[in-house]
Amino acid sequence: MKKIFSILALTACCLFAVAPTAQAQLIKWGVKGGVNMTKIDFDNYKDKMAGFFIGPMAEVTIPLLGLGVDASLLLSQKGVKADSDDTKQMGLDIPVNLKYTFGLGSALGIFVAAGPDFYFDFKDKGRYERKKSQVGINVGAGVKLIQHLQIGVNYNIPVGDHFEFADLRVKGKDKTWQISLAYMF
């Protein structure tokens, strides 16, 4: 976990070091929010839940190529269950995506994105043993409108199990669809 924080800190420092020398069009800052739709798969149990995410984002793009990187620091809730909150997660979600945008003029663009997703759970353990940090792979697409709005759909594929019910030796994963709206300044 220390390695992950070290890598993230180094990446952030590099981005901030490059920011003053880059053109204003290369780096954009914004706010991103949306809905998480999580499906939890245990060996013999499945459940679907809804949650939210919100937080700041940055996007670095190379002009004319349409290639770039976007990263976010999102407060993310994955799932709410009516009768129990043992599988509810609240934490920090850090997606870092390589993004390619097909420009259809300055007012409209279509993008595809993929990259790693790091999730750090803040919630205490319930009946289920949970990993405090989780890694996944993002795959997504969306549209950019009038140079400020981005609407996207993203799927997070987990790497490894996230939950374990120790008494029954049952392990589980949470797969998440995200619908997002971002406003870039």
Side-chain angles (χ1 to χ4, degrees):
M1 188 136 147
K2 289 182 182 180
K3 288 181 183 179
I4 292 173
F5 283 123
S6 297
I7 291 170
L8 291 174
L10 181 63
T11 303
C13 289
C14 289
L15 285 175
F16 288 122
V18 171
T21 60
Q23 295 177 2
Q25 298 161 345
L26 294 179
I27 299 175
K28 293 184 180 179
W29 303 94
V31 177
K32 184 177 188 177
V35 177
N36 285 327
M37 293 169 285
T38 304
K39 178 181 175 187
I40 296 178
D41 287 331
F42 286 100
D43 292 338
N44 57 359
Y45 171 79
K46 294 183 181 188
D47 198 3
K48 295 178 183 175
M49 302 177 206
F52 69 90
F53 61 93
I54 189 164
M57 75 175 284
E59 184 177 79
V60 180
T61 56
I62 301 170
L64 302 174
L65 294 180
L67 189 62
V69 175
D70 82 8
S72 305
L73 294 172
L74 304 171
L75 176 65
S76 181
Q77 179 189 57
K78 292 184 179 180
V80 175
K81 190 169 176 167
D83 57 348
S84 169
D85 69 346
D86 284 333
T87 55
K88 177 182 170 184
Q89 297 179 56
M90 179 66 87
L92 181 65
D93 194 9
I94 306 172
V96 180
N97 294 313
L98 183 64
K99 184 185 274 188
Y100 184 72
T101 303
F102 305 92
L104 301 174
S106 62
L108 180 66
I110 298 172
F111 66 85
V112 292
D117 180 77
F118 306 97
Y119 185 81
F120 301 96
D121 198 352
F122 296 154
K123 195 166 183 296
D124 292 333
K125 297 177 182 178
R127 289 187 309 164
Y128 301 102
E129 294 286 326
R130 279 201 298 256
K131 293 183 179 178
K132 284 295 187 182
S133 62
Q134 303 164 5
V135 177
I137 298 170
N138 284 324
V139 178
V143 295
K144 292 182 177 184
L145 303 169
I146 54 177
Q147 298 181 0
H148 293 286
L149 291 177
Q150 295 182 13
I151 299 170
V153 176
N154 192 51
Y155 185 62
N156 182 270
I157 304 161
V159 176
D161 294 323
H162 295 171
F163 296 95
E164 184 174 347
F165 194 40
D167 297 342
L168 301 175
R169 296 179 187 228
V170 175
K171 295 182 179 183
K173 297 180 179 187
D174 59 344
K175 301 170 187 166
T176 305
W177 280 98
Q178 294 180 321
I179 298 174
S180 66
L181 175 65
Y183 182 82
M184 305 305 290
F185 302 107

